[in-house]
Amino acid sequence: MVRLLVVVALALALACGGTLAAKLDVAAVNQAQFSESEPKGADPMLLRAQILLDRARFSPGLIDGRLSNSFSKAVAAFQAANGLPSDGKLTRETWDKLAATFAGPVLTNYQVTAKDVRGPFTRRIPARMERMADLKRLGYRNAREKLAERFHVSEQLLRLLNPKTGFRKADTTLVVPDVGRGRPPAAVASVEVDKGTRQVRALDASGKALAVYPASIGSEEKPAPSGAAEVRRVVRNPTYHYNPKFAFKGVKSKRPFTIAKGPNNPVGSVWIDLSIDSYGIHGTPDPGKIGTTFSHGCIRLTNWDAEDLAAMVKPGTKVDFKDETAQDGQAQ
């Protein structure tokens, strides 16, 4: 009897998984239309909306087809930029404006290259920063992680879109989001770091938002700075230097150490150095945590959003910190 129940439960689980995967096929997502019904789990309409927001540079962070605070904040930012009530709710009017930003299919095919699967990969990355310092590179763990980050999606969603793929062979065709944002705006006059909403905004000279990204910004232990700063330089593929004066929670070393470059480095794939000593805007090895946790004082974005912002700023670009009224979450 117990064996029968286990078999039945497994069959139900597989059936549910199969149904979910079927819901996210290419046609279902590309042809998704607005619905007022509350989505449950990964949803074609939400996935299409997330990809459209990402393309328009109102970043929802990690694309996963699910409701989240980062998604609601991205919707609110898009609404504000388009003269709509900015409540963060995906209304029909908001959907129509968003759908008008891109007429093409949001899911497309990508052929995996030999470079994608060749690496080099860093298959095991220690949790403790001191032990990371022993590695020669903090690369992606595998091709699946590399491809997921390239297309701004969670690894879970990438598997869901490609259920029969092992992500190990070149010339494999994958279904992926079309996240081509085009050339970055050339008229970025300043950057605003909003501690209250946990967002970073690239603004033009009139104060209009050209791009909005979810961010993890400081903590009670290591708060982000206030006031005005400016960009000093942009460092791509940076190494990370730990100073014991930082006194990060969980780091026991009393000596400075350096962690090698790579996308899974603690500051990710790019470092935007600010005029406030030891502070910067940078990437992360954990894109799923952006906007839901705190940082060690700096401003943390997904690697792809940090790289996008880095292409817009230059030495001397103004960075203004907008103070918060309240925070919630956990320091990471």
Side-chain angles (χ1 to χ4, degrees), residues 15 25 48 62 65 70 100 120 132 151 177 186 188 198 203 239 241 249 260 302 307:
D25 66 17
R48 186 181 176 199
L62 193 68
S70 291
M132 290 182 189
F151 296 104
V188 171
R198 297 192 203 176
L203 308 176
T239 54
H241 304 286
K249 185 177 180 180
T302 65
E307 290 167 8

Side-chain angles (χ1 to χ4, degrees), residues 98-112:
L98 188 57
T101 63
F102 179 62
V106 296
L107 289 182
T108 188
N109 291 332
Y110 173 74
Q111 190 168 28
V112 178

Side-chain angles (χ1 to χ4, degrees), residues 7 25 31 47 64 70 72 74 78 97 100 102 117 120 136 142 151 184 225-226 250-251 304 321:
V7 171
D25 66 17
Q31 299 172 17
L47 180 53
D64 60 4
S70 291
S72 296
F78 178 83
K97 284 272 189 180
F102 179 62
V117 298
K136 294 182 179 180
N142 50 48
F151 296 104
S226 297
V251 181
W304 54 88
F321 288 85

Side-chain angles (χ1 to χ4, degrees), residues 202-247:
L203 308 176
D204 68 11
S206 70
K208 178 183 176 181
L210 300 173
V212 182
Y213 312 106
S216 292
I217 306 171
S219 66
E220 289 185 5
E221 178 193 9
K222 297 289 182 181
S226 297
E230 63 181 40
V231 173
R232 289 199 299 198
R233 58 178 180 153
V234 172
V235 182
R236 290 176 173 81
N237 211 15
T239 54
Y240 176 78
H241 304 286
Y242 179 77
N243 189 325
K245 291 190 296 184
F246 297 160

